[in-house]
Amino acid sequence: MTTQHNVPAERAAGNHSDREHPGLFPLTDAEADHLIHLARAALIGRGLSTSYDASTGSLAVIPPPDPESSHPPDHLGGALFGLGNLARTVNGHPRQSWSRLVEEHFDSLMASILRPPAGPTDPERQLYLRLAATSSVPAKWTADLPEFLPGLVAVPASNDNGTFALHFDPSTFGLTWTEAHRIALANLNLLPDSVSYIDHDGVQLAVLSDTTWAASRALVLDTVLRESLQVENPPYGVLVALPTRHLLLIHVIRDLSILPAISAMLRLTHTAYETSPGPLTPTVYLVDPTGWHPATTALPNHPLPYHLTPHLRALTQTLAHQEQSPD
């Protein structure tokens, strides 16, 4: 089966117009109501009646009363159109431009539904491995897939004139899952990176953000470090965050500047994850020769939201001892 990027299900809305809407974050309740109105009107204009499902932050298509006389797109009865990514897209734009953005969103979405992209005609050249949030696709599609990180799977994908398709069943174009995964990983490994750097509180963060494959480059992190950051086998590892499909943040660990680095990365990561389209994970990771480890943890009933995990705390103790030791 093949799918475009869907929207993760989100929780129910509140009822105060000036507070953030938990189902369509980062919009307020009043803004969310306006977006829902625009989205329902856009779908009515495309022959679909919907009702808002507050439990998922989605519009549910109402089945036609007479299925026998229905025609496309009436066969979508019962389908859910998630509004989470759309909420992130319109956020920050002037309210008067929302109608145009909503119309463009559903133009693209309905075109992909009524004319779904075919499988790649040349898989050896067109497949790339892509990270997807398990919450953004039906659970049965990812049930047998290993997670790269909690809540994230790597899926062969292709790009058809700007429409990205995830291919959960590569047998439709003659490949096994193992073959498609191998080809897609090899092609991902060959993609170039555009790296920029930001300095924050005296620490440097590398930013990959110019491509929709940016976060997926975490799957070939060694290549990114070696070829794009000119760093090979950093002895203390790196901090990595991939909050959205379009963003990969990296800090090479050298000393106790790791502490302001983790603070900066947490702020950037949570802002991107909560406000930008294509959310993946809000977790910042410590990546070292032993694998990927969460850098922070939350303690229940504690006033501070984040604490260093034992793995990262042990590393900071090593770095502190190194700085105190004579040359």
Side-chain angles (χ1 to χ4, degrees):
M1 60 196 73
T2 296
T3 182
Q4 285 70 54
H5 292 294
N6 296 310
V7 178
E10 290 158 327
R11 289 188 289 275
N15 55 10
H16 296 284
S17 62
D18 59 347
R19 73 180 183 187
E20 291 172 341
H21 188 290
L24 296 178
F25 188 88
L27 302 184
T28 66
D29 279 356
E31 290 171 332
D33 288 344
H34 183 57
L35 178 63
I36 293 166
H37 171 76
L38 291 176
R40 292 189 67 191
L43 287 172
I44 286 175
R46 291 160 176 80
L48 295 172
S49 297
T50 60
S51 61
Y52 181 64
D53 185 343
S55 67
T56 61
S58 304
L59 291 177
V61 177
I62 300 172
D66 184 6
E68 295 298 325
S69 62
S70 66
H71 54 80
D74 291 337
H75 66 280
L76 295 175
L80 292 178
F81 288 93
L83 300 181
N85 270 353
L86 187 54
R88 289 170 163 85
T89 298
V90 301
N91 180 52
H93 286 271
R95 184 78 72 93
Q96 59 266 29
S97 69
W98 284 22
S99 179
R100 173 182 57 80
L101 293 171
V102 169
E103 290 293 331
E104 291 174 352
H105 172 82
F106 284 109
D107 278 344
S108 175
L109 187 59
M110 293 303 295
S112 66
I113 290 173
L114 298 177
R115 297 184 299 276
T121 56
D122 186 359
E124 291 283 348
R125 297 179 56 190
Q126 296 173 322
L127 282 183
Y128 295 87
L129 207 57
R130 190 169 179 83
L131 286 173
T134 55
S135 60
S136 69
V137 295
K140 63 181 180 180
W141 293 4
T142 61
D144 297 327
L145 299 183
E147 290 187 324
F148 171 65
L149 294 171
L152 298 180
V153 291
V155 184
S158 60
N159 177 10
D160 181 12
N161 294 320
T163 298
F164 293 88
L166 301 176
H167 302 288
F168 289 90
D169 184 9
S171 66
T172 58
F173 45 86
L175 294 178
T176 67
W177 177 265
T178 300
E179 291 169 336
H181 192 280
R182 174 185 56 78
I183 292 168
L185 180 61
N187 287 337
L188 177 70
N189 198 49
L190 296 175
L191 288 177
D193 293 314
S194 176
V195 182
S196 59
Y197 293 88
I198 58 175
D199 291 310
H200 194 283
D201 292 339
V203 299
Q204 188 180 73
L205 305 179
V207 181
L208 282 69
S209 60
D210 285 348
T211 166
T212 188
W213 301 101
S216 296
R217 292 284 288 170
L219 294 163
V220 289
L221 183 62
D222 286 345
T223 298
V224 174
L225 294 175
R226 182 178 62 254
E227 298 183 3
S228 299
L229 275 62
Q230 285 77 55
V231 174
E232 192 158 9
N233 300 321
Y236 300 113
V238 294
L239 295 175
V240 178
L242 44 158
T244 70
R245 293 192 299 260
H246 295 74
L247 181 60
L248 182 66
L249 300 170
I250 302 172
H251 171 72
V252 179
I253 301 169
R254 296 184 175 91
D255 50 36
L256 284 176
S257 63
I258 186 179
L259 295 175
I262 187 68
S263 177
M265 289 183 74
L266 283 169
R267 287 196 294 273
L268 292 170
T269 296
H270 280 265
T271 297
Y273 178 78
E274 293 172 349
T275 63
S276 300
L280 292 178
T281 174
T283 302
V284 176
Y285 285 91
L286 167 63
V287 186
D288 63 17
T290 66
W292 289 66
H293 313 276
T296 63
T297 185
L299 299 180
N301 303 316
H302 196 283
L304 296 177
Y306 302 107
H307 296 263
L308 301 185
T309 57
H311 199 98
L312 185 54
R313 193 162 57 245
L315 174 58
T316 61
Q317 292 169 353
T318 297
L319 294 169
H321 178 73
Q322 171 188 283
E323 292 190 3
Q324 295 167 2
S325 298
D327 295 336

